[in-house]
Amino acid sequence: MQATALLVRTVGILLLSSGYLLSADPLPGDSTESTPPQNWHHMDKASQNYLGISLNKAYQDILKNKTSKTVIVGVIDSGIDIEHEDLKDVIWVNEKEIAGNGIDDDGNGYIDDIHGWNFIGGPDGQHVDDETLELTRLYREYEAKYGDKDVANLSGKAKKEYSTYLKLEDAYEAELLENQQMLQQYEQIYGAFQMFKPMLEAELDGAELTEENLAEITSTDDRISQAKGYMEYLFSIGLTEEGAKEGLDYFSEQVNYNLNLEFDPRDIVGDDPNNPKERYYGNNDVKGPDSDHGTHVAGIIGAVRGNELGAMGVADNVKIMVLRAVPNGDERDKDIANAIYYAVNNGAQVINMSFGKGYSPNKKIVDKAVKYAQKKGVLLIHAAGNDGEDIDEVDNFPTKDLKKAHSGKTVKNWVEVGATNWGNKEEFVASFSNFGDKSVDIFAPGVDIYSTYPENEYQNQQGTSMAAPVVTGVAALLMSYFPALSYAQVKDILLKSSSKFQNEEVNQPGSEELVSFGSLSTTGGVVNAFNAVKMASEMN
């Protein structure tokens, strides 16, 4: 599932967060600002008072007037708007393929794959947009097999599978119930905005209702007082009309598609979903019907720098290879494996993977693709997820662990990324970020990250989905200016050069318990471009 659903669990309600009122001077500091400046994640703590990645300093102090080599970055995601004004010049072009001739010119098995490939598209040009969760697919499969079985007659493998079926049933029913309840709440909340907002704006002589001018309403009418009190509550927990609509849409999608046992869009693709080894399917439309997430991720990595348009990528000499494999639901293991193979075989040196899920029935084929990437010297950067959980204990796929989750046996070409905020020392770690002192390698800025959005637009987004491409951008930057470095050296530099805050006390994501920042990842560090470039230049 795309990692951008920023679900903040508070008292009985799930909020899609739209911003945080935090300090602007982290570790420690204090500020009355409610939002940071654009591209704060590029800034330097010492000179600019924002704990970004010191990227601007790296360009100004070390990389100025130095030559670089173009690096191909694979982005496995929901699709990318390849015509965006700030991205079109950095989109990868397969020069071995002739556009539009309907022939597989380069013989790689994919026809007219000019900018990458869409593994969730069909031969007739249709696309998978909404998709079920892996939990839904597994429960549907096991329920069909064991729902009416006589337990007394089961033995061996069947008995073990029946036990798995019961666990899946419990997990599915709990997930469905929670999302149905949340949908009902958001229907009521959004309905309240629709009902109360016009009444209150009439009291304000037509002015748009805000948290600030709400206090100006002094009417003693019971209906107005009730409306004012309810809106004060919603504003106090950070919920706007836009946020309520996002919540309504999100939970509607969960109930109607992601958790709907009757919904199965895979026929669109035309593959055999039960054949994990199948390689050649899909189409060449890499944008797809919903490229919001992928377009934002791509811009963080490589939006053109210095062109006086809206966003600036971390790396200044990359080509983005587009691999569409992530729907609005859970990605399928075979699609991810095939996207990795495609990226590696077509020249990608680093791959960004801002997605994740709780079940992986075909983990072995993803592991095989990851090991193939390692053999070919390709670095994989993965977002840790947005559930505020310890992924040393909770499953989060794909993973650097081989054979099974939490095995301790890991690949060497993997970097797992958590998200930091721009706030003060306690709130320095993003409240939604997953963590783990064994599973997460490093943190990076992931709140209020300004980047490209489809149709030549720009937006702030947040999530470990945004933190991962920050690290991917720094990795590509090192590969570009220091092309002799191996993937292992690049990873080593990223981790060792990170800004260390092991002993700083921060709120553990998902709670207000104070823990040491060093307990949340293997490094206790935040990626730092200046330090990384300095270390690479000294090695070089």
Side-chain angles (χ1 to χ4, degrees):
M1 179 186 290
Q2 295 175 10
T4 48
L6 311 182
L7 304 183
V8 182
R9 297 176 185 269
T10 58
V11 183
I13 189 169
L14 289 174
L15 299 180
L16 283 169
S17 179
S18 58
Y20 300 86
L21 183 60
L22 298 177
S23 163
D25 185 11
L27 297 175
D30 191 22
S31 173
T32 57
E33 293 183 67
S34 60
T35 57
Q38 285 181 10
N39 300 313
W40 73 268
H41 58 295
H42 292 179
M43 294 181 178
D44 176 67
K45 173 64 172 69
S47 61
Q48 297 172 295
N49 210 31
Y50 284 88
L51 213 164
I53 64 171
S54 303
L55 178 68
N56 300 334
K57 185 178 180 182
Y59 277 115
Q60 292 164 7
D61 293 0
I62 305 178
L63 298 177
K64 190 175 182 180
N65 299 324
K66 292 191 181 299
T67 58
S68 61
K69 179 182 177 182
T70 301
V71 171
I72 299 174
V73 179
V75 175
I76 303 175
D77 216 291
S78 65
I80 296 172
D81 181 359
I82 59 175
E83 296 299 327
H84 192 287
E85 61 182 5
D86 224 356
L87 290 175
K88 61 184 179 182
D89 292 336
V90 297
I91 299 298
W92 174 73
V93 176
N94 183 359
E95 295 179 353
K96 298 177 182 178
E97 195 78 9
I98 300 172
N101 68 353
I103 299 172
D104 180 16
D105 300 288
D106 59 2
N108 69 353
Y110 302 96
I111 296 172
D112 291 339
D113 54 321
I114 303 302
H115 302 294
W117 196 251
N118 175 9
F119 288 96
I120 50 176
D124 59 355
Q126 288 185 297
H127 305 274
V128 173
D129 185 5
D130 291 305
E131 177 59 287
T132 49
L133 301 184
E134 198 69 75
L135 170 61
T136 307
R137 298 193 286 263
L138 283 170
Y139 175 58
R140 180 169 58 202
E141 175 187 342
Y142 275 77
E143 204 277 334
K145 192 172 183 180
Y146 291 105
D148 298 324
K149 285 282 186 179
D150 184 353
V151 184
N153 294 327
L154 298 178
S155 62
K157 180 182 177 181
K159 193 171 184 179
K160 186 176 180 180
E161 285 190 345
Y162 183 77
S163 177
T164 300
Y165 160 64
L166 294 179
K167 292 177 182 177
L168 289 169
E169 183 177 44
D170 288 345
Y172 172 80
E173 290 181 350
E175 189 76 10
L176 179 62
L177 177 61
E178 179 180 304
N179 279 273
Q180 288 173 331
Q181 291 173 338
M182 292 302 102
L183 176 58
Q184 289 176 354
Q185 288 194 41
Y186 271 102
E187 286 173 340
Q188 293 173 1
I189 292 168
Y190 185 67
F193 272 104
Q194 300 302 297
M195 180 184 300
F196 294 151
K197 188 179 176 184
M199 293 168 50
L200 297 174
E201 288 181 340
E203 294 293 315
L204 294 167
D205 296 324
E208 183 178 358
L209 182 67
T210 66
E211 186 174 7
E212 291 73 26
N213 65 20
L214 188 58
E216 298 174 12
I217 298 174
T218 58
S219 173
T220 57
D221 181 275
D222 287 344
R223 293 181 71 243
I224 300 299
S225 296
Q226 180 186 19
K228 179 183 176 182
Y230 192 74
M231 295 305 296
E232 284 177 336
Y233 168 70
L234 294 180
F235 283 139
S236 74
I237 61 174
L239 197 58
T240 63
E241 183 176 13
E242 181 183 14
K245 183 62 165 61
E246 289 175 356
L248 177 61
D249 291 344
Y250 175 78
F251 289 109
S252 293
E253 192 171 84
Q254 286 278 297
V255 171
N256 295 323
Y257 299 107
N258 301 158
L259 291 161
N260 185 350
L261 292 170
E262 304 301 319
F263 179 66
D264 186 358
R266 191 65 185 193
D267 286 348
I268 289 172
V269 177
D271 68 326
D272 178 1
N274 297 314
N275 179 7
K277 297 181 179 180
E278 187 177 7
R279 296 284 292 274
Y280 305 108
Y281 56 90
N283 65 40
N284 69 346
D285 182 352
V286 294
K287 181 179 180 181
D290 184 1
S291 61
D292 297 0
H293 188 269
T295 301
H296 200 270
V297 165
I300 295 170
I301 297 167
V304 178
R305 298 180 62 85
N307 63 353
E308 299 183 356
L309 294 177
M312 288 194 296
V314 173
D316 66 346
N317 192 359
V318 295
K319 293 296 181 182
I320 303 292
M321 179 188 293
V322 191
L323 292 314
R324 183 171 183 264
V326 184
N328 292 318
D330 278 351
E331 62 281 355
R332 292 179 184 248
D333 293 330
K334 68 181 288 188
D335 299 337
I336 299 307
N338 285 330
I340 292 172
Y341 282 123
Y342 183 99
V344 173
N345 289 335
N346 288 279
Q349 292 170 256
V350 57
I351 301 172
N352 190 88
M353 303 191 297
S354 289
F355 53 82
K357 59 184 180 179
Y359 297 85
S360 182
N362 289 299
K363 183 179 183 301
K364 289 182 180 179
I365 66 166
V366 179
D367 289 347
K368 188 175 180 180
V370 170
K371 288 190 288 185
Y372 179 76
Q374 178 175 282
K375 181 180 178 181
K376 296 295 184 178
V378 178
L379 188 62
L380 307 180
I381 313 292
H382 182 247
N386 301 326
D387 300 308
E389 294 180 329
D390 183 351
I391 57 174
D392 287 347
E393 306 294 335
V394 177
D395 288 344
N396 180 55
F397 300 103
T399 173
K400 60 185 175 183
D401 290 279
L402 297 171
K403 292 187 177 179
K404 62 179 181 179
H406 321 298
S407 67
K409 183 180 180 182
T410 62
V411 289
K412 298 177 181 179
N413 63 328
W414 190 285
V415 179
E416 190 81 4
V417 185
T420 55
N421 205 336
W422 55 276
N424 62 28
K425 68 182 289 186
E426 289 83 12
E427 297 169 312
F428 174 56
V429 179
S431 61
F432 53 77
S433 181
N434 285 347
F435 57 94
D437 66 357
K438 297 181 182 67
S439 300
V440 175
D441 296 299
I442 197 169
F443 278 75
V447 174
D448 285 327
I449 306 300
Y450 189 73
S451 185
T452 47
Y453 207 68
E455 312 305 328
N456 294 332
E457 293 186 7
Y458 302 85
Q459 279 194 11
N460 278 337
Q461 295 283 333
Q462 49 207 16
T464 58
S465 280
M466 284 62 250
V470 171
V471 177
T472 298
V474 177
L477 187 68
L478 295 176
M479 294 172 177
S480 179
Y481 282 90
F482 308 97
L485 293 174
S486 67
Y487 82 86
Q489 289 174 310
V490 170
K491 176 181 175 180
D492 193 52
I493 290 170
L494 289 172
L495 302 188
K496 287 182 177 178
S497 68
S498 59
S499 300
K500 301 298 192 295
F501 303 103
Q502 289 100 324
N503 298 323
E504 294 288 347
E505 287 195 330
V506 297
N507 288 338
Q508 179 175 294
S511 75
E512 294 185 357
E513 178 186 356
L514 286 176
V515 298
S516 66
F517 183 67
S519 69
L520 303 180
S521 69
T522 63
T523 62
V526 179
V527 71
N528 186 292
F530 176 82
N531 291 348
V533 169
K534 186 174 184 289
M535 184 178 290
S537 63
E538 291 170 352
M539 290 175 59
N540 195 52

